[in-house]
Amino acid sequence: MRVCVGTIVHHPEDARITHRQIRALLDAGHEVTFVAPFTHCNVTPQQEVRAIDVPRAVGLHRARALRAARSALRRGAKDADLLLVHDIELLLALPHKRPPTVWDIHEDTAGALEAKAYLPEGLRGVLPPLIRAMEGRAERRLHLILAEESYRDRFEGDHPVVPNHTYVPRTPPPPPGDNRIVYVGHISEARGAVEMVRLARRLKPYGIRLDLIGPADADVRPLLRDAQREGLLDWFGYVPNRHALRMAEGALAGLSLLHDVPNYRESTPTKVIEYMARGIPVVTTPLNRAASLVGRVGCGTVVPFGEVDDVVEAAAQAVLRLRQDHERRAAMGSRGYTEALNHFDWPAQAAEFVGLLERWAEAPARVAAVRAGRAVAV
């Protein structure tokens, strides 16, 4: 099977796209053409894929990337058996003549608008109904994959869920240490950037340092640079997921201080599962799924939403309690690792994901959504 995969929004080393889905396709012996912003992100494509470089869609400046994407997807899908796109923007750039097409829905696009500081206020009321209309049209014309069970309510049909699981090491990772906390993932105000910097300052007298591993929104980069110059933290910028998680191993705690915004409210932050997979106790705000998972497994601490100083103090106390009790943090790390290995290991999902695409590649290009009660098994 020849698959064309496309994104103009996500990083070419995105964990879900590249290290899970494309890796699964390649391991199954399929050919992959990858349309992505390689040059913009300073990424050298994998030798195993046919790469087509496009500009990246950033902020309000997306027209050039969309124009390039139309041409790139037309080239990439010309001889493909399946087209797999990862951005709602690419619904506007699909070739008229194309193979069966799949949209992998990573987020609640309308719900995410609240966290996009670059959007003018006037657009915030206009875009949600437009996005919902695009989703409805896509449901009638394309195959859909959902990253979360909670996304089902946005659609009439019943679409398969391919969850954001991770690779869990076969060998248990090292136990948590006592002098370093970590955050892995994209850094933004809504993901707790201000809280994490203040937490680093709060913990500095105790000899505990913060490692931030991931790219950051433009509006919080000055804050991170100033904190790094002050010696509060190390900000490593973008690091490929598999290397970032190895860097995180041995940390005292992994942070997930996401705010209570619609796009996060019913999702399980992937980073929580990734910390568990690396034996790191979790400190998370009480997003429903994250709090339920951490509480059920006993692999971390849930701190309340609130004013920045209140969240920071609660997180600091959680970290300091972990530091004082080696056996407690080791037990949390061990329980998290075992749960991740048994229930969140990506290879257990990979074959079913590939099988789903293989079945769709043989289907007609236009399909109706699967109606309720006729779920596609994934």
Side-chain angles (χ1 to χ4, degrees):
M1 179 174 66
R2 292 167 296 185
V3 182
C4 177
V5 179
T7 181
I8 56 174
V9 172
H10 297 280
H11 195 283
E13 289 274 358
D14 179 87
R16 179 176 176 86
I17 299 172
T18 300
H19 297 296
R20 297 182 195 125
Q21 296 187 1
I22 289 180
R23 182 76 266 155
L25 288 165
L26 293 172
D27 288 347
H30 298 303
E31 299 177 17
V32 175
T33 296
F34 191 15
V35 176
F38 296 102
T39 298
H40 181 280
C41 298
N42 195 30
V43 168
T44 301
Q46 302 176 62
Q47 291 184 347
E48 300 153 286
V49 306
R50 174 195 173 207
I52 301 179
D53 192 24
V54 288
R56 193 175 191 183
V58 179
L60 296 174
H61 307 290
R62 296 175 182 245
R64 177 169 169 263
L66 273 174
R67 287 195 298 271
R70 287 191 186 96
S71 173
L73 289 179
R74 192 162 52 244
R75 289 168 51 203
K78 183 178 179 182
D79 299 318
D81 300 302
L82 190 87
L83 173 60
L84 171 60
V85 297
H86 289 268
D87 320 324
I88 193 170
E89 290 84 351
L90 289 184
L91 302 184
L92 303 173
L94 295 177
H96 178 69
K97 186 177 181 181
R98 62 179 185 270
T101 301
V102 182
W103 177 26
D104 184 8
I105 301 173
H106 293 214
E107 65 177 2
D108 179 354
T109 311
L113 298 177
E114 185 177 318
K116 297 187 184 300
Y118 61 81
L119 281 178
E121 198 61 39
L123 283 178
R124 295 181 187 275
V126 174
L127 288 177
L130 177 61
I131 289 169
R132 297 306 185 207
M134 291 177 67
E135 290 178 341
R137 186 170 188 270
E139 182 175 28
R140 294 188 297 271
R141 298 169 61 88
L142 310 177
H143 299 283
L144 305 186
I145 287 174
L146 313 180
E148 293 276 354
E149 289 283 347
S150 60
Y151 297 169
R152 291 187 183 278
D153 293 342
R154 288 154 51 193
F155 300 96
E156 291 184 10
D158 192 359
H159 303 284
V161 174
V162 175
N164 268 326
H165 290 178
T166 188
Y167 289 96
V168 182
R170 301 299 97 180
T171 303
D178 63 1
N179 63 356
R180 181 173 64 101
I181 55 176
V182 298
Y183 171 89
V184 177
H186 192 91
I187 306 166
S188 68
E189 185 174 349
R191 294 171 186 257
V194 175
E195 289 87 346
M196 289 191 291
V197 169
R198 293 195 190 178
L199 178 61
R201 181 173 284 109
R202 172 76 171 78
L203 294 174
K204 184 179 180 181
Y206 298 91
I208 299 173
R209 192 176 182 85
L210 170 62
D211 285 349
L212 296 176
I213 308 171
D217 282 358
D219 60 328
V220 300
R221 289 173 200 158
L223 174 70
L224 304 185
R225 293 190 188 106
D226 289 347
Q228 184 160 250
R229 281 194 289 267
E230 193 179 336
L232 300 178
L233 55 83
D234 286 315
W235 175 33
F236 294 92
Y238 180 81
V239 177
N241 185 256
R242 60 188 184 277
H243 300 310
L245 295 179
R246 281 201 291 270
M247 290 169 63
E249 287 184 356
L252 171 59
L255 304 178
S256 181
L257 303 181
L258 278 64
H259 292 186
D260 184 22
V261 298
N263 189 37
Y264 306 148
R265 199 164 288 149
E266 294 300 328
S267 299
T268 302
T270 305
K271 61 180 57 58
V272 169
I273 295 171
E274 290 176 335
Y275 297 150
M276 291 167 60
R278 300 293 167 149
I280 304 168
V282 179
V283 176
T284 179
T285 45
L287 296 166
N288 290 341
R289 294 178 184 271
S292 175
L293 176 62
V294 169
R296 176 177 59 80
V297 177
C299 60
T301 305
V302 179
V303 298
F305 293 122
E307 298 298 324
V308 172
D309 288 343
D310 295 334
V311 174
V312 169
E313 186 58 30
Q317 291 301 322
V319 171
L320 292 173
R321 284 194 298 271
L322 285 171
R323 194 203 191 158
Q324 292 165 4
D325 193 336
H326 167 76
E327 291 185 1
R328 179 168 175 261
R329 68 176 184 264
M332 283 185 171
S334 178
R335 286 193 293 265
Y337 168 75
T338 300
E339 179 74 9
L341 183 64
N342 291 335
H343 299 288
F344 297 106
D345 193 22
W346 167 251
Q349 294 283 335
E352 295 182 12
F353 162 74
V354 172
L356 177 66
L357 297 194
E358 290 170 341
R359 293 194 295 275
W360 280 343
E362 298 176 355
R366 294 191 181 191
V367 296
V370 180
R371 293 295 156 188
R374 294 179 59 213
V376 178
V378 171

